[in-house]
Amino acid sequence: MLKSLLAIALVASAAPAVAQDRTIPVNIVVDASKPGAPVNPIWRFFGADEPNYATMKDGRTTLATLGQLMPDHVYFRTHNLFTSGDGTAAFKWGSTNIYTEDAAGHPVYNWTIIDHIFDTYHARHVKPYVELGFMPEALSTHPEPYQHDFRPGSGALRTGWAYPPKDYGKWENLITAWVAHCVARYGRAEVASWYFETWNEANLPQYYWGGTQDEFFRLHDAAVRGVRRALPEARVGGPDIAGAGDDYMTAFLHHVKTAGTPTDFLSFHAKGKPSFIKDGAGSHVRMGIADQLNAADHEFVQIAAEPAFKNKPIIIGEFDPEGCAACQGPANGYRNGTMYSSYEAAVFPRLMMLAERRGVNLEGAITWAFEFEDQQPFAGFRQLTSGGIDLPVMNAFKLFAKMHGRVVPAASDAEKSLDTVMKEGVRGTPDIGSTAALDANSLTVLLWHYHDDDLPGPDAAAHLTLNGLPSGLAGTRSVEVYRIDRDHANAYAAWLAMGAPLAPTDAERATLLKAAELQPATMPITVAGRHAALTVTVPRQGIVLLRLGH
């Protein structure tokens, strides 16, 4: 497995070189005199299939890093919180054994494992985005076989855990009892700050739901009643469906409106579609950023069409370049390096543009990536860390977290329009864009240099003109410069350079941890008359963050 993944990396790195003796000139104008809306940190949501990884060594480390991004404002979603089992994690699997029944069929509740998971979040300043699922074995209408037989590329995923309950009253009572327990354990105000939604992708019957649409709506209504019985002010919503190009969202909105089911937020998923290209020029990954944005737009349009729901907060419950974090393969070769981080830098601003265009209230987008415990280094999963070592994509979120205050205009003459990206993706010329924020006397500018094709290309020479700067920034100053590219904040490149060791020594691991760090440099700048200018190099598939002032 490792050899095949390394071969993919080497094939990509050996692709025909594009001339490097030139740069792409880019002009970016930032106007700090026009602060707009507050920065909306929609990126502060994460999740994973496997709940029990959170309590393991690298899971705890990764959660701590997430919590440090924005303490007590980062949320985590996971499957399998109600699944039967002993808490052993596996690909796309986990369990808490929250519910069993005695010989007489009476409910037996057990909070031990789920408390351990949520305590782990709480200690690291991460809050739950609660997915109420899946079905305990004792409640399932089709309990055997119960645990799935999934393997990346084969096996049956939908087994007993995916079916409706044999008793909706017991399902509702379980949820009431558990939420009441959480209120007693964590406090009423804390639990009221969580999100509660039902199940996962019930519009994909081949995977996550073995019942009908009407049965899912009944399941959801019972779940909401169960939450609200224990905590009337709890934040409830749904349906966390896959962005499958159907009208399920419209049907859901009609149902909750007709049934009077409380709905505080709406949720769905949107995924991209990378491919592995083989042609005369060699082999490489090609991303599908257009697919991801169009999937989101399909759901935005349905929500915007319903006046009663148009202003409801929206959480995109999974927002990723493709659909299976636990799956490997050539098309997923973007994950370890800066292809992933630059993609995220390019897609999140477009998602916010799209929400603004449709007039909907986007509150968050969950990156369905975490870590896979005790796997080979850089094994090709969609994850934020590998063996406790931050990947470039984790560093991208660290840069997002540095954007504070209010958004200010930042116009790049090499940034592709939203319509172009949604229609064509990023083909031909690259997308070299920018976003900026002003916080008191601090200006932060984020630059990205992205292309759908993971091929070499010339660097960008970005000339920035900064206008309308606060008077407190006048004079000669230093600009902090943070980079994520082939040579910076990139543990994967360092691992390849040391020969891709399967079991890094302590010294090699220390080197990788150092290579993963964001290490700011400084460059001088002179602010005169509230204006300044500077030029920075942004390599292809790279990100640069500039911060002027503190």
Side-chain angles (χ1 to χ4, degrees):
M1 179 70 71
L2 180 63
K3 290 181 179 178
S4 64
L5 292 169
L6 181 56
I8 292 168
L10 294 177
V11 165
S13 65
V18 177
Q20 301 291 320
D21 58 350
R22 61 184 177 85
T23 57
I24 302 171
V26 181
N27 292 300
I28 297 172
V29 178
V30 178
D31 189 349
S33 70
K34 297 179 179 179
V39 171
N40 184 1
I42 63 170
W43 52 265
R44 61 193 169 92
F45 296 78
F46 302 88
D49 294 66
E50 304 84 6
N52 308 100
Y53 284 158
T55 64
M56 300 173 77
K57 61 182 185 306
D58 293 335
R60 296 191 302 269
T61 299
T62 305
L63 271 180
T65 301
L66 294 178
Q68 291 165 11
L69 297 176
M70 197 173 180
D72 299 316
H73 293 278
V74 170
Y75 285 83
F76 197 84
R77 175 178 183 250
T78 184
H79 299 336
N80 295 299
L81 287 176
F82 286 10
T83 304
S84 299
D86 63 3
T88 300
F91 288 149
K92 298 182 77 66
W93 183 257
S95 57
T96 67
N97 222 41
I98 196 172
Y99 180 95
T100 54
E101 293 182 354
D102 64 18
H106 300 132
V108 177
Y109 302 140
N110 186 336
W111 318 126
T112 303
I113 296 175
I114 199 167
D115 279 353
H116 186 30
I117 293 169
F118 278 38
D119 288 353
T120 304
Y121 297 167
H122 186 70
R124 289 156 183 81
H125 301 283
V126 172
K127 292 177 179 284
Y129 178 105
V130 179
E131 177 188 307
L132 299 167
F134 294 120
M135 194 56 59
E137 185 174 9
L139 281 179
S140 176
T141 52
H142 293 76
E144 296 180 358
Y146 184 72
Q147 183 170 349
H148 67 60
D149 187 37
F150 169 84
R151 297 169 179 80
S154 65
L157 181 63
R158 195 193 74 187
T159 48
W161 60 268
Y163 283 87
K166 62 185 182 183
D167 186 321
Y168 284 86
K170 288 183 175 180
W171 165 256
E172 181 178 331
N173 289 339
L174 163 62
I175 292 170
T176 297
W178 177 62
V179 174
H181 167 77
C182 289
V183 170
R185 187 175 186 85
Y186 302 106
R188 191 179 194 98
E190 170 62 22
V191 180
S193 72
W194 301 355
Y195 297 81
F196 291 88
E197 59 88 9
T198 311
W199 219 258
N200 180 69
E201 297 182 346
N203 61 330
L204 296 183
Q206 68 272 37
Y207 297 123
Y208 286 98
W209 181 238
T212 65
Q213 184 180 90
D214 286 344
E215 286 173 322
F216 172 70
F217 290 165
R218 185 181 178 189
L219 181 88
H220 174 73
D221 291 350
V224 170
R225 285 195 304 270
V227 173
R228 285 289 183 89
R229 278 169 54 194
L231 186 63
E233 66 268 35
R235 186 162 43 183
V236 294
D240 259 279
I241 53 171
D246 56 26
D247 61 356
Y248 203 103
M249 178 62 77
T250 298
F252 175 81
L253 297 178
H254 174 75
H255 167 76
V256 295
K257 181 169 61 176
T258 303
T261 307
T263 305
D264 298 312
F265 66 94
L266 299 169
S267 53
F268 61 85
H269 303 172
K271 307 282 188 172
K273 191 176 181 180
S275 57
F276 193 61
I277 304 299
K278 296 181 180 181
D279 55 26
S283 303
H284 68 277
V285 174
R286 173 174 289 167
M287 303 299 284
I289 193 171
D291 297 86
Q292 188 173 4
L293 291 169
N294 280 288
D297 194 41
H298 182 81
E299 308 302 324
F300 283 165
V301 168
Q302 292 182 71
I303 294 168
E306 295 285 346
F309 297 97
K310 182 176 182 179
N311 294 321
K312 292 284 185 182
I314 294 171
I315 307 291
I316 302 183
E318 296 179 22
F319 186 68
D320 304 292
E322 36 70 35
C324 180
C327 300
Q328 300 159 303
N332 296 328
Y334 72 90
R335 293 169 165 176
N336 285 321
T338 60
M339 189 76 177
Y340 193 1
S341 50
S342 62
Y343 181 100
E344 297 293 81
V347 77
F348 271 92
R350 271 33 183 270
L351 180 65
M352 297 187 68
M353 292 177 196
L354 188 56
E356 183 177 0
R357 171 181 289 183
R358 297 302 183 190
V360 294
N361 180 11
L362 179 62
E363 188 165 296
I366 295 177
T367 296
W368 201 250
F370 185 47
E371 65 95 16
F372 288 84
E373 197 80 18
D374 293 329
Q375 300 296 318
Q376 296 174 346
F378 307 99
F381 302 114
R382 190 173 70 238
Q383 54 190 358
L384 303 171
T385 65
S386 177
I389 299 169
D390 292 346
L391 296 176
V393 67
M394 177 69 95
N395 286 325
F397 290 110
K398 293 178 186 177
L399 294 189
F400 292 170
K402 294 181 182 295
M403 305 288 289
H404 300 290
R406 293 185 174 273
V407 178
V408 297
S412 167
D413 64 4
E415 182 173 323
K416 292 183 179 290
S417 71
L418 176 60
D419 288 333
T420 297
V421 175
M422 292 185 68
K423 181 179 179 180
E424 304 172 2
V426 180
R427 313 292 166 83
T429 58
D431 175 51
I432 306 168
S434 59
T435 185
L438 184 69
D439 183 16
N441 283 328
S442 175
L443 176 70
T444 308
V445 184
L446 182 72
L447 313 176
W448 65 85
H449 182 170
Y450 171 74
H451 199 288
D452 275 346
D453 290 300
D454 193 13
L455 292 169
D459 295 347
H463 179 75
L464 286 82
T465 301
L466 310 178
N467 295 325
L469 294 171
S471 57
L473 293 179
T476 301
R477 295 184 165 272
S478 293
V479 176
E480 282 187 332
V481 183
Y482 296 85
R483 295 182 175 275
I484 305 171
D485 55 40
R486 57 189 175 242
D487 301 316
H488 300 87
N490 189 343
Y492 179 57
W495 179 72
L496 291 176
M498 65 174 56
L502 181 60
T505 64
D506 286 345
E508 288 171 331
R509 179 174 173 80
T511 298
L512 294 174
L513 288 168
K514 188 68 174 177
E517 293 178 1
L518 280 168
Q519 298 183 5
T522 59
M523 59 188 303
I525 189 172
T526 299
V527 179
R530 300 185 66 189
H531 302 280
L534 72 160
T535 299
V536 295
T537 299
V538 189
R540 185 172 167 116
Q541 313 301 23
I543 310 174
V544 174
L545 183 133
L546 307 170
R547 183 162 62 186
L548 175 61
H550 296 282

